[in-house]
Amino acid sequence: MKKIFILPLILTLALANAFAQPANAGFVRNFKTKISYNREIKNTTKDIKDVFTKQDEFTNNHELEKLSSLYSDKFVNSDGFDKKIYFKLIEDTWETYPDITYTTEIRDIRINGNFAVVQTYETAYATTHEVSDTIDAYGELNSIANSMYYLQKAGSHWIIFAEQVLDEKSQLRYGDARFVKMDLNAPKIVNAGDEYSASLNIQLDDDETAVASIDTQEIIHPIGKPDDAFRNLSNQNQLERIFKANSKNINEYVTASIGIAKAEPYDEKYSKVYVSGIAFLMTRINVIPANKFITLEEDNAPKTK
């Protein structure tokens, strides 16, 4: 019985091969298709990269209307800010830091038809043009972020319709604080309502002391001000606090304010203590929304006595 089954199968394969196109023709057709597909992907990738090249160009030149043309009118980011609020924040940033410079490094591009996801590493650098009330020195701003941009093809163009910030850190430093190694550590992501720890680490010279505060702020507009009191650092020049993530499903910033003081001999008996630097650090906490509509089957099973 097995031979009777195999023979018709062999005959079918033989007939199919007899009437098939020449092998070379099939190979050439497939090769041309592959070349065409690769060319299309290459051109699409170039078009998407051009979007981010223009984004850096328009932001660095403060060209708000041109920058707006790269974004969908229905744009929204992972903090819930729509295009109007998002661009108001950009405009405010330019007014505060007129010399701010942005760079964008594309880490990955994934294309799916008329949609694409782009992962980026972004930096921003600026100097303040206003002298701090606490110290007679100008400040420097440094910011880094890893982000995901979601793009859609509209006609012949690609536009950004959503953005998600995976992690973000910013530092604004005045005076000697620019040269002090410090870092604010917190988890990148937490569940809504869960507790988490945030710690500040500073490396001070022997003639330096510091006070600091750590607080949290929900990422809303307008954003509030931290109100935690300044505290002395531990012997290890560290400050740590425990926070509870909000239950409103809003992302948060952990913020730290640092004041650095130095002591200089005034005479044989006394020393002069003065503020030599201040700094403000910020890191993002992405809050996972609480989904109250997930249950296990056993949770809904009838209870037996």
Side-chain angles (χ1 to χ4, degrees), residues 21 23 36 54 184 213 226 247 254 300:
Q21 293 184 5
S36 177
K54 290 177 181 178
L184 178 61
S213 68
S247 298
V254 173
N300 297 323

Side-chain angles (χ1 to χ4, degrees), residues 30-71:
N30 293 336
F31 187 67
K32 285 183 177 179
T33 301
K34 187 175 182 180
I35 289 177
S36 177
Y37 175 77
N38 288 341
R39 185 185 294 117
E40 182 181 351
I41 290 295
K42 186 176 181 180
N43 291 337
T44 300
T45 301
K46 180 181 180 301
D47 291 341
I48 291 172
K49 287 182 177 180
D50 285 344
V51 172
F52 291 90
T53 299
K54 290 177 181 178
Q55 180 179 254
D56 276 356
E57 177 187 342
F58 297 155
T59 51
N60 288 327
N61 293 332
H62 295 189
E63 296 177 298
L64 198 66
E65 288 189 14
K66 290 184 178 180
L67 181 64
S68 177
S69 69
L70 302 178
Y71 288 74

Side-chain angles (χ1 to χ4, degrees), residues 121-126 141-145 168-171 282:
Y121 174 77
E122 300 167 271
T123 66
Y125 172 80
L141 171 73
N142 284 278
S143 180
I144 61 171
E168 175 188 10
K169 283 193 172 187
S170 298
Q171 298 186 353
M282 183 178 73

Side-chain angles (χ1 to χ4, degrees), residues 45 48-49 52 104-111 116-121 146-151 166:
T45 301
I48 291 172
K49 287 182 177 180
F52 291 90
T104 302
E105 176 188 336
I106 294 177
R107 295 283 178 87
D108 186 44
I109 298 177
R110 298 188 180 185
I111 302 167
V117 180
V118 180
Q119 183 177 355
T120 63
Y121 174 77
N146 287 287
S147 304
M148 302 288 285
Y149 287 88
Y150 300 86
L151 285 76
L166 303 179

Side-chain angles (χ1 to χ4, degrees), residues 20 35 42 49 55 66 79 88 99 177 180 184 189 207-208 214 229 241 279 285 289 293 300:
I35 289 177
K42 186 176 181 180
K49 287 182 177 180
Q55 180 179 254
K66 290 184 178 180
D79 297 319
K88 176 66 168 61
D99 66 348
V180 176
L184 178 61
I189 191 167
D207 62 341
E208 293 176 327
I214 305 178
R241 286 194 66 192
I285 305 287
F293 301 94
N300 297 323

Side-chain angles (χ1 to χ4, degrees), residues 148-161:
M148 302 288 285
Y149 287 88
Y150 300 86
L151 285 76
Q152 182 176 6
K153 195 169 186 180
S156 59
H157 303 288
W158 288 87
I159 58 172
I160 300 167
F161 70 87

Side-chain angles (χ1 to χ4, degrees), residues 161 175 238 268:
F161 70 87
Q238 184 182 63
E268 293 182 357

